């Protein structure tokens, strides 16, 4: 409100939305009789201005102390928090539409940072005396975050329509119950029961669709058999999901339902629960995996069992590339088999049952251009602490010293594929983005029973403390026994870069041969660059007037000379991509029938000449394997990640991400966060964000970091006294840099262990990359057809992801160091 009208605040409040009514003039004159004509005129103009139609969008992100969500009013999009939505709706009712009065009331919300600041300034003198001895009562103690599990989402073979109709159930005990459906598909139904009866998975029921009697001509025996597939119960109700059984061939009712759903799904809306959940998880998976700090190593055996295992594939990112390079010798061969050897694997399998990891201390000695690796894990010298200290102190004196945490995880090939939800309505082009696993990929996965994560947890404070242990008088001969023999064995490990960009479906080989391309009676000549069974790339001598999607006809003059079994003339290919200068074209076979001569010829050529052909830069990996291994790790990811989202000029941390099959101990920090939350099903991030220095540091780093930068790391100590209910008193958070001496760190740890739980965390912060929307668009488009507002909201959430914080638990290593330093 204009300051000139602040003294007339009550009059303006009383006449909100009244200016266009017939009774306004009389009422206004009676109330403003004491004002001058000029004041009365200006006040009336102000009321008319406030009642005027407004077209401005309101965006309160970063301006209010609340979470802003997408809010749609008559096709116009706003970003409002709960308080603003309530104010918007209240004022819309008063003014009868979206006016400047509504706009200004919402913008002037009580919880705006401007108003909060002004209130604090006004109350500073009264608060100052109290705050000397007491923390502010409005200090934030809850940082709620929802846990998002990365999971395999089953494809629905049928669309479900949200549809409530009356049905009559006949249970196995002949009891009849009347209820209504929640959603309906051709062969499935979900309904609600309110304590009439209890149903269990596997039971059979008979259903009569009484609510459809006007739509379909039932006979007297129109009862349909269903089997209970899932149940969800709370104290008062049951949600029962059933699937139809014993369906006769050519069933009229099934055909009717298919037609009925197709004709009414836009009216009653499709059930999108699984698509919404899958898309949200898929976007989080994409953001999280490309910024992993742990190196994921898949172990392969000859028979698929946990015997004779050796490292075979490693998933790398910019953040973990340093770890992968550390474990390579001077010839660039992998030495991960030194780190993850047979004896260590046995220990890892035992520790995995206790939900524990294994710490390995290592250094590299270089001599005459050769690299010699030395490793020692915490279990090897459990009963000889004296030499253990000396080894670590000696290793810490080397620039190549590293502390590595190993975690063992069993995996199943069934976890390696996550199809698009409801792929039956996806186009062929969209299905190409996420094809089913091939027999070759499944064959490889059958021999991968487990994975090991390799996490470098070395920090500067660790090194100085280990160096202080001293290694005077160390037995050098014994120390040498922990070295690995140079060139012990050449273990092949394929590096797979974690990426959501285009993944080739077939191996390509570099090969040059003349090619003639014809389109619309014009011919261009060129040379092939590479080829696969189903496509090739061609360099043209002159620019071609071609566009993506054109069908062209290829002739291979030189290749035709070496074969008479195949006619290599006028073969149809489709233009998939063409360079800006129109001289480089990517082609794929255009198949109108089941057979394509070019595909058959190149398949035979590759099979007979694999040893002679040169593979391109994509290496000899099996097509589709990288995506399968990526998904396999996603559902088993154990290190929690916090998503950082931008909200106006601020950042918010409200989502935790971890794998579906990740085992979380009741002693873990995640479990502690769950106990500290005052909202059911949410996790309180106070143990991470409750320290002002830590939260300020995260925000400062977010403003500095670029997506191309490696992760920055900060170590914090957390003490939780579970006997105290007040969160601010029970939880203490310290940066390690705040505890300046070893004695102070020892004291903090000792006190924390005596009073409750102690946790040490490495916070690894990364700027996020932009999402590759190709992998998200199919489900996003499908959702948008039936729920445009949810589609827009999810898209906005994806674009708001600014960074990620991996919460690497280094408590085990910290307590080991604390024991050694006692």
């Amino acid at each position: 409100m204009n300051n000139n009208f602040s003294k007339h605040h009550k009059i303006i409040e009383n006449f909100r939305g009244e200016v266009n009514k017939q009774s306004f003039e009389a009422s206004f004159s009676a109330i403003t009789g004491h004002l001058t004509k000029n004041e009365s005129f200006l006040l009336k103009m102000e009321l008319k201005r406030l009642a005027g139609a407004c077209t401005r969008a309101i965006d309160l992100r970063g301006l209010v102390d609340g979470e802003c969500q997408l809010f749609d009013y008559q096709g116009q999009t706003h970003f409002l928090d709960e308080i603003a939505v309530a104010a918007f709706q209240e004022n819309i009712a008063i003014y009868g539409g979206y006016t400047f009065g509504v706009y200004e009331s919402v913008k002037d919300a009580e919880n705006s940072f401007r108003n909060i600041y002004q209130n604090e300034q006004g109350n500073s003198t009264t608060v100052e005396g109290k705050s000397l001895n007491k923390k502010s009562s409005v200090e934030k103690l809850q940082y709620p975050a929802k846990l998002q599990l990365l999971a395999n989402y089953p494809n629905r073979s049928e669309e479900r329509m949200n549809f409530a109709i009356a049905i009559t159930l006949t249970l196995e005990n002949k009891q009849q119950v009347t209820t209504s459906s929640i959603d309906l598909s051709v062969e499935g139904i979900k309904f609600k029961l309110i304590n009439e009866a209890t149903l269990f998975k596997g039971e059979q029921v008979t259903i009569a669709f009484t609510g459809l009697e006007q739509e379909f001509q039932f006979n007297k025996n129109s009862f349909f058999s269903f089997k209970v597939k899932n149940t969800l119960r709370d104290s008062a109700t049951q949600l029962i999901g059933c699937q139809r059984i014993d369906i006769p061939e050519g069933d009229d009712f099934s055909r009717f339902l298919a037609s009925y759903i197709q004709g009414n799904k836009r009216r009653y809306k499709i059930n999108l629960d699984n698509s919404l959940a899958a898309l949200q998880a898929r976007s989080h998976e994409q953001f999280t995996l490309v910024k992993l700090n742990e190196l994921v190593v898949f172990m392969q055996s000859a028979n698929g069992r946990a015997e004779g295992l050796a490292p075979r594939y490693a998933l790398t990112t910019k953040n973990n590339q340093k770890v992968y390079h550390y474990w390579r010798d001077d010839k660039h061969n992998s030495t991960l088999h030194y780190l993850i050897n047979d004896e260590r694997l046995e220990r890892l399998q035992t520790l995995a049952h206790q939900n524990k990891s294994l710490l390995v201390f290592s250094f590299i000695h270089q001599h005459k251009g050769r690299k010699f690796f030395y490793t020692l894990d915490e279990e090897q010298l459990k009963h000889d602490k004296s030499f253990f200290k000396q080894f670590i102190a000696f290793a810490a004196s080397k620039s190549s010293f590293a502390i590595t945490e190993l975690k063992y995880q069993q995996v199943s090939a069934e976890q390696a594929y996550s199809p698009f939800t409801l792929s039956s309505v996806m186009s062929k082009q969209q299905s190409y983005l996420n094809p089913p696993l091939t027999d070759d990929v499944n064959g490889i996965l059958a021999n991968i029973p487990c994975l090991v994560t390799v996490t470098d947890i070395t920090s500067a404070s660790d090194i100085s403390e280990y160096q202080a242990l001293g290694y005077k008088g160390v037995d050098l001969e014994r120390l040498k026994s922990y070295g690995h023999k140079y060139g012990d064995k050449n273990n092949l490990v394929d590096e797979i870069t974690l990426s959501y960009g285009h993944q080739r479906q077939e191996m390509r080989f570099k090969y040059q041969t003349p090619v003639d391309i014809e389109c619309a009676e014009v011919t261009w000549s060129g040379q092939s660059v590479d080829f696969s069974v189903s496509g090739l790339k061609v360099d043209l001598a002159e620019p071609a007037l071609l566009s993506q999607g054109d069908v062209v006809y290829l002739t291979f003059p030189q290749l035709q000379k070496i074969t008479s079994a195949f006619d290599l003339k006028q073969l149809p290919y489709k233009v998939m991509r063409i360079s800006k200068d129109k001289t480089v074209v990517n082609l794929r076979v255009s198949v109108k029938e089941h057979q394509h001569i070019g595909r058959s010829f190149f398949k035979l050529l590759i099979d007979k000449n694999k040893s002679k052909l040169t593979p391109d830069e994509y290496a000899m990996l099996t097509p589709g394997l990288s995506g399968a291994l990526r998904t396999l790790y996603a559902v088993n990811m154990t290190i929690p990640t916090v998503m950082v989202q931008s909200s106006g000029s601020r950042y918010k941390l409200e989502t935790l991400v971890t794998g579906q099959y990740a085992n979380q101990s009741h002693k873990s920090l995640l479990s502690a966060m769950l106990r500290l939350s005052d909202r059911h099903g949410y996790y309180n991030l106070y143990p991470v964000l409750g320290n002002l220095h830590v939260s300020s540091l995260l925000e400062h780093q977010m403003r500095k970091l670029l997506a191309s930068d490696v992760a920055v790391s900060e170590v914090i100590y957390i003490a939780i006294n579970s006997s105290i209910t007040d969160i601010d008193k029970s939880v203490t958070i310290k940066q390690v840099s705040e505890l300046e001496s070893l004695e102070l760190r020892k004291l903090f740890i000792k006190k924390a262990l005596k009073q409750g739980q102690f946790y040490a965390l490495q916070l690894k912060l990364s700027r996020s990359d932009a999402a590759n929307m190709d992998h998200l668009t199919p489900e996003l488009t499908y959702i948008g057809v039936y729920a445009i507002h949810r589609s827009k909201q999810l898209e906005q959430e994806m674009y708001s992801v600014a960074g990620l914080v991996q919460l690497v638990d280094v408590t085990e290593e910290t307590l080991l160091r604390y024991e050694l330093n006692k």
Side-chain angles (χ1 to χ4, degrees):
M1 186 190 299
N2 191 308
N3 287 331
N4 295 332
F5 297 108
S6 58
K7 61 182 178 180
H8 303 307
H9 174 70
K10 287 187 178 180
I11 296 175
I12 291 175
E13 280 289 303
N14 290 335
F15 283 99
R16 287 188 301 165
E18 301 289 321
V19 72
N20 293 321
K21 295 182 179 179
Q22 290 182 354
S23 59
F24 169 72
E25 289 293 343
S27 302
F28 183 76
S29 298
I31 294 293
T32 59
H34 64 287
L35 300 178
T36 65
K37 286 186 177 181
N38 187 50
E39 283 181 316
S40 179
F41 173 77
L42 291 175
L43 193 55
K44 187 185 293 185
M45 290 301 101
E46 174 63 7
L47 287 168
K48 286 186 176 182
R49 185 189 70 82
L50 292 174
C54 180
T55 58
R56 297 179 185 175
I58 307 174
D59 188 350
L60 298 183
R61 291 175 295 179
L63 302 177
V64 295
D65 186 21
E67 180 186 352
C68 293
Q69 300 287 348
L70 205 64
F71 178 79
D72 184 84
Y73 178 75
Q74 294 185 350
Q76 187 173 33
T77 299
H78 308 277
F79 286 94
L80 311 178
D81 69 334
E82 290 181 2
I83 293 174
V85 169
F88 191 99
Q89 293 171 336
E90 177 192 348
N91 282 276
I92 283 288
I94 293 169
Y95 283 101
Y98 182 39
T99 69
F100 279 98
V102 179
Y103 174 83
E104 292 179 7
S105 295
V106 174
K107 291 282 283 186
D108 194 36
E110 290 182 9
N111 66 332
S112 71
F113 292 122
R114 174 172 54 82
N115 286 336
I116 291 172
Y117 175 75
Q118 288 174 351
N119 291 335
E120 287 177 350
Q121 291 296 101
N123 297 329
S124 61
T125 53
T126 56
V127 173
E128 187 177 358
K130 297 179 182 178
S131 63
L132 290 173
N133 302 314
K134 189 178 179 181
K135 288 186 178 181
S136 170
S137 61
V138 296
E139 181 181 354
K140 192 170 182 181
L141 299 176
Q142 291 290 331
Y143 296 83
K146 195 73 176 173
L147 183 65
Q148 176 72 61
L149 297 178
L150 304 181
N152 297 84
Y153 288 90
N155 168 44
R156 283 182 178 171
S157 57
E158 301 171 341
E159 290 180 299
R160 297 185 189 179
M161 184 172 71
N162 290 324
F163 190 44
I165 55 165
I167 58 173
T168 300
L169 309 177
T170 303
L171 309 184
E172 289 181 341
N173 62 2
K174 306 303 181 184
Q175 178 186 356
Q176 286 196 338
V177 179
T178 301
T179 183
S180 60
S181 65
I182 295 172
D183 61 41
L184 183 69
S185 67
V186 174
E187 295 183 9
I189 189 170
K190 183 178 285 186
F191 54 84
K192 182 189 291 186
L193 291 180
I194 306 176
N195 287 338
E196 291 107 326
T198 301
L199 289 176
F200 296 94
K201 185 177 179 181
E203 287 190 49
Q204 291 188 20
V205 296
T206 302
I207 299 179
F209 290 86
T210 52
L212 285 175
E213 288 175 348
Q214 292 182 346
E215 309 289 341
F216 183 76
Q217 190 66 41
F218 294 100
N219 58 41
K220 291 182 179 180
N221 299 316
S222 291
F223 299 98
F224 305 97
S225 298
F226 284 80
K227 189 173 185 179
V228 177
K229 302 297 288 185
N230 55 73
T231 63
L232 182 64
R233 294 181 174 85
D234 60 22
S235 57
T237 61
Q238 304 171 76
L239 290 180
I240 312 294
C242 295
Q243 184 177 16
R244 192 176 167 195
I245 56 175
D246 301 330
I247 305 173
E249 192 173 340
D251 182 48
D252 290 338
F253 187 57
S254 295
R255 286 201 296 269
F256 161 74
L257 282 178
S259 174
Y260 191 74
I261 291 170
Q262 185 63 32
N264 290 279
K265 63 184 182 181
R266 287 183 182 274
R267 178 184 173 190
Y268 293 110
K269 303 299 182 185
I270 290 297
N271 184 304
L272 299 169
D273 291 349
N274 70 322
S275 293
L276 289 165
L279 180 61
Q280 200 167 33
R282 230 184 278 281
S283 65
H284 288 147
E285 174 192 317
Q286 188 178 137
F287 285 118
T288 304
L289 262 61
V290 297
K291 295 294 178 179
L292 289 180
N293 291 280
E294 66 271 27
L295 182 70
V296 185
V297 180
F298 290 92
M299 310 297 293
Q300 191 176 61
S301 69
N303 54 13
R305 299 177 183 174
E307 301 167 2
L309 291 169
R312 183 62 183 89
Y313 302 102
L315 300 184
T316 62
T317 67
K318 192 171 187 68
N319 285 339
N320 69 24
Q321 193 84 41
K322 186 179 177 183
V323 182
Y324 180 73
H325 286 163
Y326 181 95
W327 295 100
R328 292 201 306 183
D329 62 19
D330 45 275
K331 297 177 181 176
H332 299 287
N333 295 319
S334 173
T335 60
L336 282 168
H337 57 287
Y338 295 158
L339 176 68
I340 314 170
N341 54 33
D342 293 339
E343 295 79 13
R344 222 159 260 157
L345 267 173
E346 286 184 23
R347 288 192 278 275
L348 278 168
Q349 290 168 16
T350 303
L351 290 168
H353 294 301
Q354 305 166 31
N355 202 35
K356 289 184 178 180
S357 56
L358 182 69
L359 298 173
V360 180
F361 302 87
S362 63
F363 68 93
I364 302 169
H365 175 63
Q366 299 208 14
H367 179 66
K368 294 182 178 179
R370 292 182 172 183
K371 293 168 75 173
F372 297 88
F373 290 79
Y374 292 78
T375 67
L376 174 68
D377 67 58
E378 58 181 310
E379 295 289 317
Q380 282 178 276
L381 286 175
K382 209 171 186 178
H383 306 293
D384 191 350
K385 285 189 178 179
S386 176
F387 182 74
F388 190 33
K389 287 183 182 181
Q390 289 179 325
F391 179 96
I392 297 176
F394 182 86
S397 68
K398 305 292 183 181
S399 60
S400 58
F401 174 61
I403 308 167
T404 305
E405 184 181 55
L406 301 180
K407 276 190 178 178
Y408 176 93
Q409 185 89 15
Q410 282 188 317
V411 296
S412 168
E414 295 174 357
Q415 304 164 357
Y417 181 54
S418 182
F420 287 139
T421 55
L422 205 68
S423 61
S424 57
V425 298
M426 298 295 175
S427 68
K428 289 183 179 179
Q429 183 181 7
Q430 292 167 338
S431 300
Y432 177 75
L433 292 168
N434 191 17
L437 303 184
T438 64
D439 292 341
D440 288 344
V441 172
N442 283 320
I444 292 171
L445 294 176
N447 293 321
I448 297 180
C450 63
L451 63 84
V452 176
T453 55
V454 179
T455 311
D456 181 8
I457 59 172
T458 319
S459 70
S461 58
D462 298 353
I463 294 173
S464 60
E465 288 183 26
Y466 283 125
Q467 287 174 342
L469 293 172
Y471 59 89
K472 187 177 180 181
V474 63
D475 186 341
L476 292 176
E477 288 302 316
R478 189 178 178 189
L479 189 144
K480 285 180 182 178
S481 66
Y482 291 95
H484 297 274
K485 188 177 178 182
Y486 182 81
D488 186 19
K489 59 179 178 178
N490 190 11
N491 188 59
L492 176 64
V493 176
D494 279 327
E495 177 188 5
I496 300 176
T497 303
L498 263 167
S499 168
Y500 283 80
H502 176 69
Q503 301 290 331
R504 290 179 181 167
Q505 302 304 307
E506 299 173 332
M507 283 185 285
R508 292 192 182 187
F509 298 90
K510 295 176 181 177
Y511 192 80
Q512 289 189 343
T513 186
V515 182
D516 293 330
I517 299 178
E518 183 184 330
C519 183
E521 299 184 353
V522 180
T523 303
W524 296 272
S525 297
Q527 287 268 351
S528 66
V529 178
D530 57 41
F531 72 87
S532 66
V533 172
S534 299
L536 71 159
K537 182 194 285 186
V538 179
D539 274 344
L540 298 173
E542 296 178 359
L545 298 175
L546 296 173
S547 301
Q548 185 177 345
D550 286 347
V551 174
V552 298
Y553 296 89
L554 270 62
T555 299
F556 299 91
Q558 290 294 334
L559 292 177
Q560 185 66 81
K561 291 179 181 179
I562 65 172
T563 179
S564 58
F566 297 92
D567 183 4
L568 302 180
K569 298 173 184 176
Q570 297 287 301
L571 302 178
Y573 279 79
K574 191 174 185 177
V575 177
M576 304 304 294
R577 198 175 296 105
I578 189 164
S579 62
K580 287 184 179 180
D581 62 4
K582 302 287 187 179
T583 60
V584 180
V585 59
N586 292 76
L587 302 159
R588 186 172 179 82
V589 295
S590 179
V591 183
K592 292 184 179 179
E593 299 174 3
H594 293 294
Q595 189 68 23
H596 189 283
I597 294 172
R599 179 183 283 172
S600 303
F601 170 76
F602 283 116
K603 187 176 188 304
L604 185 65
L605 183 69
I606 291 169
D607 290 343
K608 288 192 172 182
N609 297 279
K610 264 191 176 178
S611 60
K612 300 175 185 176
L613 292 169
T614 305
D616 74 350
E617 74 282 357
Y618 196 61
M620 292 291 288
L621 288 175
T622 303
L625 179 62
S626 59
L629 295 179
R630 185 183 68 203
T631 303
L632 193 56
Y633 179 64
V635 299
N636 289 286
M637 188 176 76
T638 57
I639 301 178
T641 300
V642 184
M643 310 298 291
V644 182
Q645 292 175 281
S646 58
S647 179
S649 59
R650 300 164 62 222
Y651 295 105
K652 61 180 184 181
L653 290 79
E654 297 177 345
T655 304
L656 272 163
V657 178
T658 190
Q660 180 185 12
Y661 301 105
N663 294 317
Q664 291 297 334
S665 165
H666 68 282
K667 295 181 180 180
S668 69
L669 182 60
L670 272 189
S671 298
M673 288 177 174
L674 188 62
R675 292 192 294 271
L676 290 168
S677 177
D678 63 355
R679 296 175 63 181
H680 178 69
Y682 282 77
Y683 293 73
N684 186 3
L685 295 180
Y686 183 85
V688 175
L689 303 176
N691 183 304
L692 182 62
H693 295 296
V694 175
S695 56
S696 298
L697 179 68
L698 290 176
E699 188 160 335
H700 174 69
Q701 292 288 5
M702 275 300 300
R703 299 189 191 285
K704 283 173 51 181
L705 277 173
L706 300 175
S708 57
D709 294 338
V710 295
V712 295
S713 184
E714 181 68 27
V715 183
I716 63 171
Y717 286 174
I718 303 165
I720 301 178
N721 187 341
S722 51
S723 63
I724 300 175
T725 55
D726 293 340
I727 291 177
D728 56 334
K729 294 177 181 176
S730 69
V731 181
T732 307
I733 310 115
K734 293 284 185 184
Q735 289 174 270
V736 170
S737 54
E738 289 181 73
L739 303 168
E740 297 175 352
S741 66
L742 176 60
E743 286 68 30
L744 283 174
R745 291 194 278 274
K746 283 183 182 177
L747 184 63
F748 183 94
I749 296 169
K750 187 177 181 180
K751 187 177 178 182
L753 292 172
K754 186 177 181 181
Q755 295 180 343
Q757 293 88 40
F758 167 75
Y759 301 96
L761 279 190
Q762 273 190 7
L763 307 179
K764 292 186 177 288
L765 175 65
S766 304
R767 259 280 178 187
S768 63
D769 288 329
N772 186 312
M773 296 303 293
D774 283 348
H775 289 265
L776 306 174
T777 297
E779 284 163 321
L780 190 64
T781 303
Y782 179 70
I783 291 168
V785 171
Y786 303 105
I788 186 66
H789 61 291
R790 292 305 308 272
S791 175
K792 285 183 177 179
Q793 185 180 350
L794 285 170
E795 193 170 9
Q796 176 62 35
E797 287 176 7
M798 291 175 204
Y799 285 118
S800 71
V801 175
L804 310 100
V805 185
Q806 267 201 299
L807 309 181
V808 182
D809 192 327
V810 292
T811 308
E812 265 186 67
E813 184 276 326
T814 304
L815 292 178
L816 175 67
R817 181 163 27 95
Y818 166 72
E819 285 295 321
L820 295 175
N821 275 292
K822 265 188 177 181

